[in-house]
Amino acid sequence: MKYESKLQSVQMDSLFDAILCLKNRGECYRFFEDLCTVNEIQSLAQRLEVARMLREECTYHEIADRTGASTATISRVNRSLTYGADGYSLILDRLGK
């Protein structure tokens, strides 16, 4: 079954094609440092860590203490894990292998 994103556009396709061209962590650092602000990159990393901790059934308090994420961010990530496009689950499953 093919996934149809509400975000899909020519520009988004180009962005994702660019990301898929990256070959290693060093290239990722270089590209994302040029593409995003430091705060944007840190927010993305924080959300992924929040998702991982939620899957491990950590409490909101534990997650907030360890990641510095607000309860609003934790709730948003939790909503995505429960009702989203399964992107977090896809990545967390692959990282866990």
Side-chain angles (χ1 to χ4, degrees), residues 12 29 80 88 93:
M12 292 296 283
Y29 274 104
S80 292
Y88 281 122
D93 289 347

Side-chain angles (χ1 to χ4, degrees), residues 38-93:
V38 171
N39 286 339
E40 289 168 337
I41 297 167
Q42 290 172 336
S43 292
L44 293 171
Q46 181 187 63
R47 289 178 195 151
L48 183 58
E49 180 63 9
V50 167
R52 186 191 63 74
M53 293 179 74
L54 284 167
R55 284 208 1 180
E56 292 177 356
E57 300 182 358
C58 295
T59 66
Y60 275 36
H61 183 74
E62 290 172 314
I63 296 168
D65 282 350
R66 287 184 23 203
T67 67
S70 68
T71 55
T73 295
I74 298 167
S75 292
R76 189 176 326 114
V77 171
N78 194 39
R79 240 184 343 272
S80 292
L81 280 169
T82 305
Y83 303 108
D86 290 328
Y88 281 122
S89 294
L90 176 77
I91 292 302
L92 291 171
D93 289 347

